[in-house]
Amino acid sequence: DVSHYVKENSALDREALTRGTSVYLADRVIPMLPEVLSNGICSLNPGVDRLTMTCECEINSLGETVSHKIFSSVINSKYRLTYHEVNSFFAKKTSFENKKLEKMLLEMLELSEIIRKFKKNQGYIDFEISESKIIINDKGKTIDIRPKERLESEILIEDFMVRANEVVANHVEKNNLSFIYRVHDKPDIERIINLKNVIKTLKINAKIPENPKPKEFSKAVEKIKESRFDDFMKIMMLRTMSKAEYSPSNIGHFGLASKSYSHFTSPIRRYPDLIAHRMIKEYFFLYNKNKSSHFGELLPAVSERSSIAEQKAVQLERKVADIKKAEFYENFLGKKFKGTIVSVMKFGFFVEFPNKVGGLVHISSLMSGRYKLSKNGYSLTDGKKVYTIGDEVNVIITSVSKKEGKIDLVISEFH
């Protein structure tokens, strides 16, 4: 219960609103709140009492929430487990030698699968996008880059958090009280048309409505998966989606197929979650529902600032990741790699490697002719040779700019 320690309009609160979110860089975290809170009194360390806010749900075998309670609580955590440890247990590679803990974990896994099936039936879209994991040594140097695993324990926590966020948002909305929502609009027609052009170019047989509902879009995605579901196709589908943002007005969350959605589960690292806790406490624990108008006045600015802060954090995280990736590939100048063309521009095309790192093949390096962008914008051709999004190509790294976080490539046959 971070809102117990961070009071409204205190110096801590104002700084948290300014930061908006914790920033997760390749080699460090810039926390939204001081570490004495984020890693101390507000962290669920094992064996110590912590003030918490609980959303307790009863979920039936169909995945429906049949009842729920939101209340102030104290939690004394008994175990600190890592994703790796739990994934290893689920894979039957290791044991915790604690029957009570193991039984609880298996029940959690069963519930997670029930919730996931329910959400998929609603139209939840899981693009299964994997990211790069940058491995850094004790001197701060990048020593390896691997695809980041997203296994059962990570998905399980995500399933539980999504359900808690939905229940909380729905609870407040039904009481007609001011609240901050995490909203995600449906894809606009132009992006849908672009995706239709991509799948047409790739000769994939799937129908996508131009004004889809979540379930219709989800069915189209599943149809595309049957033909092709490599990383390139995942990125193309993800680009079709609108950006999620914060708003005091609820329009639902298209990607999660949620009629009401909030961010409630991470008040240590996101300001919208912190103010959500503050509002819930006032409305339902202190019975000050008349404060709805007060929060209603604050929320438009808080939502906008939080959305902007989130985008700035994402941009910074990507920029630092690009720098660390370029640093790693300084060691591979002149080396050959296989990759996939993920986007095509007038000036060349971008190629991504299996570890989610990529670079640019500039049009000036294509020495066999005068290349032009096709009318649909998905290919470069000189009339004989064609480079199309989704093609696999062999490339050689010719230069790296660590400062700019850029990697330059040439097609291997032209090197």
Side-chain angles (χ1 to χ4, degrees):
D1 184 5
V2 180
S3 65
H4 177 79
Y5 301 98
V6 182
K7 302 299 183 184
E8 183 177 348
N9 207 32
S10 63
L12 270 176
D13 186 49
R14 292 193 298 272
E15 180 64 20
L17 175 57
T18 298
R19 296 189 179 206
T21 180
S22 295
V23 184
Y24 294 84
L25 305 180
D27 60 345
R28 73 196 71 185
V29 177
I30 303 171
M32 181 181 77
L33 296 170
E35 287 196 34
V36 68
L37 290 178
S38 58
N39 287 340
I41 196 68
C42 293
S43 183
L44 292 177
N45 299 320
V48 292
D49 288 348
R50 290 289 185 255
L51 301 180
T52 46
M53 190 177 290
T54 295
C55 175
E56 184 177 282
C57 302
E58 181 184 355
I59 298 170
N60 64 19
S61 59
L62 299 176
E64 302 164 327
T65 302
V66 295
S67 67
H68 72 274
K69 292 186 289 184
I70 302 170
F71 54 93
S72 191
S73 55
V74 174
I75 287 180
N76 189 301
S77 176
K78 301 303 179 188
Y79 310 99
R80 168 165 275 179
L81 308 178
T82 66
Y83 287 123
H84 177 75
E85 289 170 340
V86 176
N87 284 329
S88 183
F89 168 70
F90 285 155
K92 298 180 180 179
K93 294 178 180 178
T94 57
S95 168
F96 289 106
E97 298 182 358
N98 182 319
K99 296 301 180 186
K100 184 178 179 181
L101 172 61
E102 292 178 348
K103 181 175 181 290
M104 184 187 299
L105 288 169
L106 292 173
E107 287 173 348
M108 290 169 67
L109 180 61
E110 181 184 2
L111 177 58
S112 169
E113 290 167 349
I114 289 170
I115 291 173
R116 207 173 315 149
K117 184 178 179 181
F118 176 84
K119 287 303 297 178
K120 284 185 176 180
N121 287 337
Q122 283 190 313
Y124 164 69
I125 304 158
D126 186 0
F127 292 116
E128 302 171 35
I129 299 289
S130 54
E131 299 174 345
S132 299
K133 183 175 183 178
I134 299 170
I135 312 299
I136 294 172
N137 65 15
D138 55 6
K139 295 179 180 177
K141 291 288 185 181
T142 309
I143 56 173
D144 198 7
I145 301 175
R146 308 169 193 154
K148 189 184 291 183
E149 287 188 318
R150 182 172 171 264
L151 300 176
E152 284 295 340
S153 68
E154 290 91 345
I155 296 169
L156 178 153
I157 294 299
E158 184 179 310
D159 289 335
F160 289 1
M161 289 196 299
V162 167
R163 180 56 57 94
N165 289 336
E166 288 177 327
V167 168
V168 165
N170 188 53
H171 183 89
V172 179
E173 187 176 37
K174 280 189 173 180
N175 280 271
N176 295 313
L177 298 165
S178 299
F179 202 54
I180 187 167
Y181 296 94
R182 180 69 168 175
V183 298
H184 183 227
D185 207 353
K186 61 188 177 184
D188 61 43
I189 292 176
E190 186 178 335
R191 292 184 181 186
I192 291 286
I193 291 172
N194 285 340
L195 179 61
K196 290 172 81 168
N197 287 336
V198 169
I199 63 175
K200 184 180 178 181
T201 300
L202 298 176
K203 297 180 173 58
I204 295 173
N205 182 28
K207 292 182 179 179
I208 306 172
E210 291 188 358
N211 188 26
K213 294 178 180 178
K215 196 160 188 176
E216 292 173 331
F217 192 76
S218 178
K219 283 183 178 179
V221 169
E222 291 303 315
K223 186 68 176 175
I224 292 169
K225 285 182 181 181
E226 292 174 8
S227 300
R228 178 170 181 170
F229 200 54
D230 54 12
D231 288 336
F232 161 75
M233 201 63 238
K234 293 175 188 177
I235 291 168
M236 289 298 105
M237 289 189 287
L238 187 64
R239 285 177 181 169
T240 306
M241 307 299 279
S242 304
K243 278 189 171 68
E245 60 185 10
Y246 298 104
S247 173
S249 302
N250 180 30
I251 61 168
H253 195 296
F254 184 90
L256 295 175
S258 302
K259 292 181 179 178
S260 301
Y261 195 71
S262 64
H263 272 170
F264 163 79
T265 52
S266 301
I268 289 175
R269 65 181 180 89
R270 290 189 303 231
Y271 192 83
D273 305 52
L274 172 55
I275 197 170
H277 278 224
R278 191 174 288 147
M279 287 185 279
I280 290 165
K281 182 177 285 187
E282 288 287 350
Y283 297 155
F284 306 113
F285 304 167
L286 302 176
Y287 305 104
N288 289 334
K289 291 187 178 180
N290 59 342
K291 288 204 75 173
S292 178
S293 58
H294 164 71
F295 287 119
E297 291 174 3
L298 297 177
L299 287 175
V302 168
S303 298
E304 183 179 9
R305 290 180 68 178
S306 297
S307 296
I308 292 170
E310 177 190 33
Q311 287 305 310
K312 286 182 177 178
V314 169
Q315 290 168 8
L316 179 59
E317 288 165 1
R318 286 176 180 165
K319 182 61 179 175
V320 172
D322 286 345
I323 290 170
K324 300 307 286 183
K325 291 171 183 177
E327 175 184 79
F328 178 70
Y329 277 95
E330 284 179 329
N331 302 314
F332 295 95
L333 286 169
K335 300 294 184 182
K336 185 161 102 173
F337 292 88
K338 179 176 281 189
T340 303
I341 298 175
V342 293
S343 64
V344 179
M345 307 290 178
K346 287 182 179 179
F347 53 82
F349 50 85
F350 289 92
V351 175
E352 186 176 89
F353 307 146
N355 64 358
K356 314 304 167 196
V357 180
L360 172 68
V361 175
H362 196 273
I363 195 168
S364 62
S365 70
L366 301 174
M367 299 175 185
S368 63
R370 190 181 181 90
Y371 283 81
K372 291 183 179 180
L373 189 66
S374 62
K375 287 183 179 180
N376 63 16
Y378 301 122
S379 302
L380 277 176
T381 180
D382 66 350
K384 297 178 182 178
K385 179 69 177 175
V386 181
Y387 294 99
T388 303
I389 53 171
D391 286 351
E392 285 195 347
V393 291
N394 290 312
V395 294
I396 290 173
I397 296 176
T398 55
S399 68
V400 173
S401 171
K402 179 180 171 182
K403 184 179 179 180
E404 295 181 352
K406 293 180 179 179
I407 301 170
D408 290 323
L409 312 169
V410 297
I411 297 297
S412 58
E413 66 183 271
F414 298 141
H415 185 65

